[in-house]
Every structure is written in structure tokens, then in C-alpha cells.
Amino acid sequence: MARIALLERDAMFAATVADRLHVAGYRVELLDRPDQALALALDGRIDLVISEMVLGASTAVDLIDQLRSRPEGRSIPVLVLSGETEVGQRLALLKAGADDYVQLPCDPEELVLRASRLLGSNSDELRVLEGDFSQHPAKELLQYIHNAGKGGILSLRGAGGTSGRIQFVRGAAVAAKLERLEGRDALLAILGLAGGRFRFEAARGETPEAGSGPQLPLPQLLLYAAWLDDELEQRRPFAGSSGTPLRITGRELPALGPLAQLPYGPVLDHLKSHPQSRLYDLLAAGFAPPQEVRLATAVLLEHGVVETPPARRVPSTSEISSSVYLDIAIGTLLLRARQAGLGRQVLSLLLLAEAGAWDSLTALMEPVRHHETLGPLVTKLDRRRGGSAIYATEGGQLALHVQELGGAVVDQIGGVLPSCGGVLVWLDDGAEVPSVLGLMDRFEGADPAAQGIVVCQDETPRREIQRAIEGRDRWSLSPHAPRSLVGLLRFFRVGGRTP
């Protein structure tokens, strides 16, 4: 029976995890201090350490450093739990020698699965694993397969429609492809995917000769990907937006040390042959992994080798027209809200999109990038999967809240749903219908005039959603996606169903 040391300050969560681990056949030691875990590990009395990130006056990194400094502690796997999302923290954990990382809150069943893989037990039972990268980041998924020593094919489709695959032989990645990228570059690009879906099918009766070749350096690429993220975060002021035109200034690029390996040449060559290209165009060209292209562009902007057009600009006729239509649409919506009896000073609309539909939703916001009020919201959506803005008019105020939809998000927004005047949920082809049903239930406490809309273009989940909204007068289902922000706002008929 494998033995696990669990260090977790939340007594209720620790007891729940310990109970699940007991049921799975493990013996668990609930500990209060890292020195207790270190002593048990060095005495050979535990096989796995599960530790929260903060351990009183020390951290899990300190514990890992002490374990890895002793020969008897180097082979003991360590699983770290943390509520932090900072890239630098993950980089420090990987460098210190952590074997896995779980972001809290999480399902205890997930911890049991990860513990089983680290301990090497029950791994033969894993035949098919599929899910969403927004819930299971690519970096963690690939690390699972590597640590479990599994062979098979990982097929994936990114949020933007990109498709790819990785072949594993006994946990080692031996082939990878993502659109035009192959091998090491494809594997690095996959590690950077923030949305989309995946499916891993384990091989049966695997032989080393089946598709095997030189191993791709997954462990090194995990560290490299974390370093790229950290370097880009430090240059966030220079990163700009994906839709801003770029142009070459003629300045020389100075010596850059470790940064010299980035694809500056291909970036500059593309800008020379395609003047006024945007970062979006550079990424779409597919000549290097997106993480390297983003960082290379930020470094070029930082040193003045590349620049963006001056900030002062005259709005185009189409932008002025869009702004006028937007004002009219918002004014009409606020008027309907008052007529329907929603007497709040601020009408709140919550726009949610599953990972596969996120790009479609944010694309509707692009025309208002330079808008005085909504422009900062578009910038927020470039950087993270959520943001808010308040649009003030003579007829009142509209608060727009935009957020990627996932299981954890439904729980987080549960408290604000009753105060929303409208909710739009945009589903992708692999719709997570249970999450939507839970959201509908939580919305029942809202004002009777508040409205919910589900956009679903895939027929199979659409039928299930249609059955679910029967008898729910405030919810409507649209098989047609909005094609502009104004069109999206017109979807809302506050106080009544969408035609």
C-alpha cells in the first residue's frame, strides 16, 4: 500500500482528500509541518508528498529543495497545491523539482487521479482522456502523460481552430505537429495553448518501434515555456495588442544574451515583405511558436527596432458610424429595461463564452478597441480571459462583464447572477451542457424581467439545451451567433424572450 504525506492547512479540504485517497487504497499521513514530511521521506516511510504552496514561514519550494538535496529524497514525487496563478511560481516549482502542480480550488477526485499517476498505480486503466484546455492546461496535461509513462496519441484542437497531435512512446514525446509547425516548435506551441479541447488515446500493446524516434525535450521545453511567459510578462508594456500595425524603424538590435535565440530575423523579414502587419498576422504566419514570436516582437518594440503608429489618430468613418450605432443600441436597451421594471441605476449584462467560442466573442469587441469607454475592456480581454466596463449614457449606465465560461467560473459568478439584467452564454462545438444547466438554475433568483440567452450552433447540445429551457420563460436559445457587438446587444429583449 503506497503511503502519502499530505500537508494542507484547510482541515476540511485535507480530510476530504485524505478520505478519497483512503478509498483509492492509499495510506495517508496528515501533517502540520514540512519538517515532519521531510523526516518521513528521508526515513523511507512515504512514497509521495502532497503539499500546499505556503507552509507557515516556508514554502513548498523550500521543502522540495531539502528533499532533492538528499539522495534518499530525490526520487520521491511531490505534488504542489496552490491558489496562485503567477507564471513565476510555476517556473520556481519546476526548477526546484516538483513533479506536478494543481491550481486550487480543485476537485479531490482530480488529486486522486494525479497521485495515482505519480505513484505509477492504475496507470494501465487509463485508455482515453479528454477535456478542455481551460480546465486542464496543456502544460499540466503533457506532464501527466510524461510522468505516467504512457504511450498513445494526443489529438487537439485549439480555440482558434488550429489542430495538432503528439505521439508518445512510454511517456516520451517522439513526434508533434501543430498546423505548419513540427517537432520541437510544435510541442512548444502546444504548451502555450490557452483554450480548445484535447483527446488522448493510450496505445494498446505498444512496441518501442511503433513510430518511435528521437525524443522531443518535453521537460526542458516546460522550463523554457515558463521562462518565455515570465520574460513576456516583464515586457507587458511593450507587448501591445494583437491588432496594432507594426513597422520597422531601421535601428539595430543590441546584444541580448539569452534572448538572442528568439526568431527576430523571421519577424523582421515578414514585416519587410508585409508592411503594416500586426502581431496577429505574425502569429498567423506560423513560422515559429507563438510564445517566441510574441516575446521577439515585444523585445523589438522595447529596443525601438520596431514601432507602432503614433497614439494620436483620427477615427475612421466606419468607427464613428459604429460608435453611433452602439450608442443607439445601448440607449434602446436601457429604455427597454426601465419599461420592463428593472429600476436599477446600472443595467448589468454578463457575456460568457466557452473556450472554443472565446475568440468569436472577443472578435465582436475589436471594432471598439479605440472607444474611450470600451477600449480598455478590449485590452483586458487581450491579456486575460475576463474583464468589465461601465458605459454611461444620458439614459443610464450599462455594465458589461465578459468572462470565459468554465465549471469553476459558474461557481464564482453564482453570487452576482441575481443582480444581472441579462446573461448571454455562447457555447462551442463541444458544449459543456451540465455547466450551462447549473448556471440556469442559479439565474432563477434574478429579477423576473432579467433575460438569459444561449447561443449554440451545434445541433446535438442545442437539442439538450432546448429541452432544458422549456418552462423557463426568461431563457431563449439562438442557433445563430451575433456578428457584431451591436447585434449582440440587440439579442437582448429585456422583459421578454428573444424572437
Side-chain angles (χ1 to χ4, degrees), residues 220-270:
Q220 293 89 335
L221 284 179
L222 282 165
L223 286 172
Y224 180 56
W227 175 78
L228 288 172
D229 289 343
D230 196 38
E231 290 290 332
L232 182 60
E233 185 61 34
Q234 294 180 42
R235 290 166 177 79
R236 182 61 64 185
F238 302 99
S241 65
S242 60
T244 303
L246 303 168
R247 62 190 182 194
I248 299 174
T249 65
R251 293 185 183 179
E252 294 293 328
L253 191 64
L256 296 170
L259 292 168
Q261 62 187 309
L262 297 173
Y264 303 109
V267 169
L268 293 173
D269 288 343
H270 187 91

Coordinates of all heavy atoms in Angstrom, one line a residue, residues 220-270:
Q220 N 12.6 19.9 -20.7 CA 13.3 21.2 -21.0 C 12.4 22.3 -21.6 O 12.5 23.4 -21.2 CB 14.5 21.0 -21.9 CG 15.6 20.1 -21.4 CD 15.4 18.6 -21.6 OE1 14.2 18.2 -21.8 NE2 16.5 17.9 -21.6
L221 N 11.5 21.8 -22.4 CA 10.5 22.8 -23.0 C 9.5 23.3 -22.0 O 9.1 24.5 -22.1 CB 9.8 22.1 -24.2 CG 10.5 21.9 -25.5 CD1 9.7 21.3 -26.5 CD2 11.1 23.3 -26.0
L222 N 9.2 22.5 -21.0 CA 8.3 23.0 -19.9 C 9.0 24.2 -19.2 O 8.4 25.2 -18.9 CB 8.0 21.9 -18.9 CG 6.9 20.9 -19.4 CD1 7.0 19.7 -18.5 CD2 5.6 21.5 -19.3
L223 N 10.3 24.0 -18.9 CA 11.0 25.1 -18.3 C 11.2 26.3 -19.2 O 11.0 27.5 -18.8 CB 12.4 24.6 -17.9 CG 12.5 23.7 -16.7 CD1 13.9 23.1 -16.5 CD2 12.1 24.4 -15.4
Y224 N 11.4 26.0 -20.5 CA 11.6 27.1 -21.5 C 10.3 27.9 -21.7 O 10.3 29.1 -21.8 CB 12.1 26.5 -22.8 CG 12.3 27.5 -23.9 CD1 13.2 28.6 -23.8 CD2 11.7 27.3 -25.1 CE1 13.4 29.5 -24.8 CE2 11.9 28.2 -26.2 CZ 12.7 29.3 -26.0 OH 12.9 30.2 -27.0
A225 N 9.2 27.2 -21.7 CA 7.9 27.8 -21.9 C 7.6 28.7 -20.7 O 7.1 29.9 -20.9 CB 6.8 26.8 -22.1
A226 N 7.9 28.3 -19.5 CA 7.7 29.1 -18.3 C 8.6 30.3 -18.3 O 8.2 31.4 -18.0 CB 8.0 28.3 -17.1
W227 N 9.8 30.2 -18.8 CA 10.8 31.3 -18.9 C 10.2 32.3 -19.9 O 10.3 33.5 -19.7 CB 12.1 30.8 -19.3 CG 13.1 31.9 -19.6 CD1 13.8 32.6 -18.7 CD2 13.6 32.4 -20.9 NE1 14.7 33.5 -19.3 CE2 14.5 33.4 -20.7 CE3 13.2 32.0 -22.2 CZ2 15.1 34.1 -21.7 CZ3 13.8 32.7 -23.2 CH2 14.8 33.7 -23.0
L228 N 9.7 31.8 -21.1 CA 9.2 32.7 -22.1 C 8.0 33.5 -21.5 O 7.9 34.8 -21.7 CB 8.7 31.9 -23.3 CG 9.8 31.3 -24.2 CD1 9.1 30.4 -25.3 CD2 10.6 32.4 -24.9
D229 N 7.1 32.9 -20.8 CA 6.0 33.6 -20.2 C 6.4 34.6 -19.2 O 5.9 35.7 -19.2 CB 5.1 32.6 -19.5 CG 4.3 31.6 -20.4 OD1 4.2 32.0 -21.6 OD2 3.8 30.6 -20.0
D230 N 7.4 34.3 -18.4 CA 8.0 35.2 -17.4 C 8.6 36.4 -18.1 O 8.4 37.6 -17.7 CB 9.0 34.5 -16.5 CG 9.2 35.3 -15.2 OD1 8.3 35.9 -14.7 OD2 10.4 35.3 -14.8
E231 N 9.4 36.2 -19.1 CA 10.1 37.3 -19.8 C 9.0 38.2 -20.5 O 9.2 39.4 -20.5 CB 11.0 36.7 -20.9 CG 12.3 36.1 -20.3 CD 13.2 37.1 -19.7 OE1 13.2 38.3 -20.1 OE2 13.9 36.7 -18.7
L232 N 8.0 37.6 -21.1 CA 7.0 38.4 -21.8 C 6.2 39.2 -20.8 O 5.8 40.4 -21.0 CB 6.0 37.5 -22.5 CG 4.9 38.2 -23.3 CD1 5.5 39.1 -24.3 CD2 4.0 37.2 -24.0
E233 N 5.9 38.6 -19.6 CA 5.2 39.4 -18.6 C 6.0 40.6 -18.1 O 5.4 41.7 -17.9 CB 4.9 38.5 -17.4 CG 4.1 39.1 -16.3 CD 2.7 39.5 -16.7 OE1 2.1 38.8 -17.6 OE2 2.2 40.5 -16.2
Q234 N 7.3 40.5 -18.1 CA 8.1 41.6 -17.7 C 8.1 42.7 -18.8 O 8.4 43.9 -18.5 CB 9.6 41.2 -17.5 CG 9.8 40.3 -16.3 CD 11.2 39.8 -16.1 OE1 12.1 40.6 -16.2 NE2 11.4 38.6 -15.8
R235 N 7.8 42.4 -20.0 CA 7.7 43.3 -21.1 C 6.3 43.6 -21.5 O 6.0 44.0 -22.6 CB 8.5 42.8 -22.3 CG 10.0 42.8 -22.0 CD 10.8 42.0 -23.0 NE 12.2 42.0 -22.8 CZ 12.8 41.3 -21.8 NH1 12.1 40.4 -21.1 NH2 14.1 41.4 -21.6
R236 N 5.4 43.4 -20.6 CA 3.9 43.6 -20.9 C 3.7 45.0 -21.5 O 2.9 45.2 -22.4 CB 3.1 43.4 -19.7 CG 1.6 43.5 -19.8 CD 1.1 42.5 -20.8 NE 1.2 41.2 -20.4 CZ 0.9 40.1 -21.1 NH1 0.5 40.3 -22.4 NH2 1.1 38.9 -20.7
P237 N 4.3 46.1 -21.0 CA 4.0 47.4 -21.6 C 4.4 47.5 -23.0 O 3.9 48.4 -23.8 CB 4.9 48.4 -20.7 CG 5.1 47.7 -19.4 CD 5.2 46.2 -19.8
F238 N 5.3 46.7 -23.5 CA 5.8 46.7 -24.9 C 5.1 45.7 -25.8 O 5.2 45.7 -27.0 CB 7.3 46.4 -25.0 CG 8.1 47.4 -24.2 CD1 8.6 47.0 -22.9 CD2 8.4 48.7 -24.7 CE1 9.4 47.9 -22.2 CE2 9.2 49.5 -23.9 CZ 9.7 49.2 -22.7
A239 N 4.3 44.8 -25.1 CA 3.7 43.7 -25.9 C 2.6 44.2 -26.8 O 2.4 43.7 -27.9 CB 3.1 42.7 -24.9
G240 N 1.9 45.3 -26.5 CA 0.9 45.9 -27.4 C -0.3 44.9 -27.6 O -0.4 43.9 -26.9
S241 N -1.2 45.3 -28.5 CA -2.3 44.5 -28.8 C -2.1 43.7 -30.1 O -1.3 44.2 -30.9 CB -3.6 45.3 -28.9 OG -3.5 46.2 -30.0
S242 N -2.8 42.7 -30.3 CA -2.6 41.9 -31.5 C -3.1 42.6 -32.8 O -2.7 42.2 -33.9 CB -3.3 40.5 -31.3 OG -4.7 40.7 -31.2
G243 N -3.9 43.6 -32.6 CA -4.4 44.3 -33.8 C -3.7 45.6 -34.2 O -4.1 46.3 -35.1
T244 N -2.6 46.0 -33.5 CA -1.9 47.2 -33.8 C -0.9 47.0 -34.9 O -0.1 46.1 -34.8 CB -1.2 47.7 -32.5 OG1 -2.2 47.9 -31.5 CG2 -0.6 49.1 -32.8
P245 N -0.9 47.8 -36.0 CA 0.1 47.7 -37.0 C 1.5 47.9 -36.5 O 1.7 48.7 -35.6 CB -0.3 48.8 -38.0 CG -1.7 49.1 -37.7 CD -1.9 48.9 -36.2
L246 N 2.5 47.3 -37.1 CA 3.9 47.4 -36.7 C 4.7 47.8 -37.9 O 4.4 47.5 -39.1 CB 4.4 46.0 -36.2 CG 3.7 45.4 -35.1 CD1 4.1 43.9 -34.9 CD2 3.9 46.2 -33.8
R247 N 5.8 48.6 -37.7 CA 6.7 49.0 -38.8 C 8.1 49.0 -38.3 O 8.4 49.3 -37.1 CB 6.2 50.3 -39.3 CG 6.3 51.5 -38.4 CD 5.6 52.7 -39.0 NE 5.7 53.9 -38.1 CZ 5.0 55.0 -38.2 NH1 4.1 55.1 -39.2 NH2 5.1 56.0 -37.4
I248 N 9.0 48.8 -39.2 CA 10.5 48.7 -38.9 C 11.0 50.2 -38.9 O 10.7 51.0 -39.7 CB 11.2 47.9 -39.9 CG1 10.7 46.4 -39.9 CG2 12.7 47.9 -39.6 CD1 11.3 45.5 -40.9
T249 N 11.9 50.5 -37.9 CA 12.4 51.8 -37.7 C 13.8 51.9 -38.4 O 14.3 53.0 -38.7 CB 12.6 52.2 -36.3 OG1 13.5 51.3 -35.6 CG2 11.2 52.1 -35.6
G250 N 14.5 50.8 -38.5 CA 15.9 50.9 -39.1 C 17.0 50.8 -38.0 O 18.2 50.7 -38.3
R251 N 16.6 50.9 -36.7 CA 17.5 50.7 -35.6 C 18.1 49.3 -35.6 O 17.5 48.4 -36.0 CB 16.9 51.1 -34.3 CG 16.5 52.5 -34.1 CD 16.0 52.8 -32.7 NE 15.5 54.2 -32.6 CZ 15.0 54.6 -31.4 NH1 14.9 53.9 -30.4 NH2 14.6 55.9 -31.4
E252 N 19.3 49.2 -35.0 CA 20.0 47.9 -34.8 C 19.6 47.3 -33.5 O 19.4 48.0 -32.5 CB 21.5 48.1 -34.9 CG 22.0 48.5 -36.3 CD 21.8 47.4 -37.3 OE1 21.9 46.3 -37.0 OE2 21.6 47.8 -38.5
L253 N 19.5 46.0 -33.5 CA 19.1 45.3 -32.3 C 20.4 45.1 -31.5 O 21.4 44.5 -32.0 CB 18.5 44.0 -32.6 CG 17.8 43.2 -31.5 CD1 16.7 44.0 -30.9 CD2 17.3 41.8 -32.0
P254 N 20.4 45.5 -30.2 CA 21.7 45.3 -29.4 C 21.9 43.8 -29.0 O 21.0 43.0 -29.2 CB 21.4 46.1 -28.2 CG 19.9 46.1 -28.0 CD 19.4 46.1 -29.4
A255 N 23.0 43.5 -28.4 CA 23.3 42.2 -27.9 C 22.3 41.9 -26.8 O 22.0 42.7 -25.9 CB 24.7 42.1 -27.3
L256 N 21.7 40.7 -26.8 CA 20.6 40.4 -25.9 C 20.8 39.2 -25.0 O 19.9 38.8 -24.2 CB 19.3 40.1 -26.7 CG 18.8 41.3 -27.5 CD1 17.7 40.9 -28.5 CD2 18.3 42.4 -26.6
G257 N 22.0 38.6 -25.0 CA 22.2 37.5 -24.1 C 21.3 36.3 -24.4 O 21.1 35.9 -25.5
P258 N 20.6 35.8 -23.3 CA 19.7 34.6 -23.5 C 18.6 34.9 -24.5 O 18.0 34.0 -25.1 CB 19.2 34.4 -22.1 CG 20.2 35.0 -21.2 CD 20.7 36.2 -21.9
L259 N 18.2 36.2 -24.7 CA 17.1 36.5 -25.6 C 17.5 36.4 -27.0 O 16.7 36.6 -27.9 CB 16.6 37.9 -25.3 CG 15.9 38.1 -23.9 CD1 15.7 39.5 -23.6 CD2 14.5 37.3 -23.9
A260 N 18.8 36.3 -27.3 CA 19.3 36.3 -28.7 C 18.8 35.1 -29.6 O 18.8 35.2 -30.8 CB 20.8 36.3 -28.7
Q261 N 18.3 34.1 -28.9 CA 17.8 32.9 -29.6 C 16.4 33.1 -30.3 O 16.0 32.2 -31.0 CB 17.8 31.7 -28.7 CG 16.8 31.9 -27.5 CD 16.9 30.8 -26.5 OE1 16.9 29.6 -26.8 NE2 17.1 31.1 -25.2
L262 N 15.7 34.1 -30.0 CA 14.4 34.3 -30.5 C 14.4 34.6 -32.0 O 15.4 35.1 -32.5 CB 13.7 35.4 -29.7 CG 13.5 35.2 -28.2 CD1 13.0 36.4 -27.5 CD2 12.6 34.0 -27.9
P263 N 13.2 34.4 -32.6 CA 13.2 34.5 -34.1 C 13.0 35.9 -34.6 O 12.1 36.3 -35.3 CB 11.9 33.6 -34.5 CG 11.0 33.8 -33.3 CD 12.0 33.8 -32.1
Y264 N 14.0 36.8 -34.3 CA 13.9 38.2 -34.7 C 14.0 38.3 -36.3 O 13.3 39.1 -36.9 CB 15.1 39.0 -34.1 CG 15.1 38.9 -32.6 CD1 16.1 38.3 -31.9 CD2 14.1 39.6 -31.9 CE1 16.1 38.2 -30.6 CE2 14.2 39.6 -30.5 CZ 15.2 38.8 -29.8 OH 15.2 38.8 -28.5
G265 N 14.9 37.5 -36.9 CA 15.0 37.5 -38.3 C 13.7 37.2 -39.1 O 13.3 38.1 -39.9
P266 N 13.0 36.1 -38.8 CA 11.8 35.9 -39.4 C 10.7 37.0 -39.2 O 9.9 37.3 -40.1 CB 11.3 34.5 -38.9 CG 12.6 33.8 -38.5 CD 13.5 35.0 -38.0
V267 N 10.7 37.5 -38.0 CA 9.7 38.6 -37.7 C 10.0 39.8 -38.6 O 9.1 40.4 -39.2 CB 9.8 39.0 -36.2 CG1 9.0 40.2 -35.9 CG2 9.2 37.8 -35.3
L268 N 11.3 40.2 -38.6 CA 11.6 41.4 -39.4 C 11.5 41.1 -40.9 O 11.0 42.0 -41.6 CB 13.1 41.8 -39.1 CG 13.3 42.3 -37.7 CD1 14.8 42.5 -37.4 CD2 12.6 43.6 -37.4
D269 N 11.8 39.9 -41.4 CA 11.6 39.6 -42.8 C 10.1 39.7 -43.1 O 9.8 40.2 -44.2 CB 12.1 38.2 -43.1 CG 13.6 38.1 -43.0 OD1 14.3 39.2 -43.1 OD2 14.2 37.0 -42.9
H270 N 9.2 39.2 -42.2 CA 7.8 39.3 -42.5 C 7.3 40.7 -42.6 O 6.5 41.1 -43.5 CB 7.0 38.5 -41.5 CG 5.6 38.4 -41.8 ND1 5.0 37.3 -42.4 CD2 4.5 39.2 -41.5 CE1 3.7 37.5 -42.6 NE2 3.4 38.6 -42.0

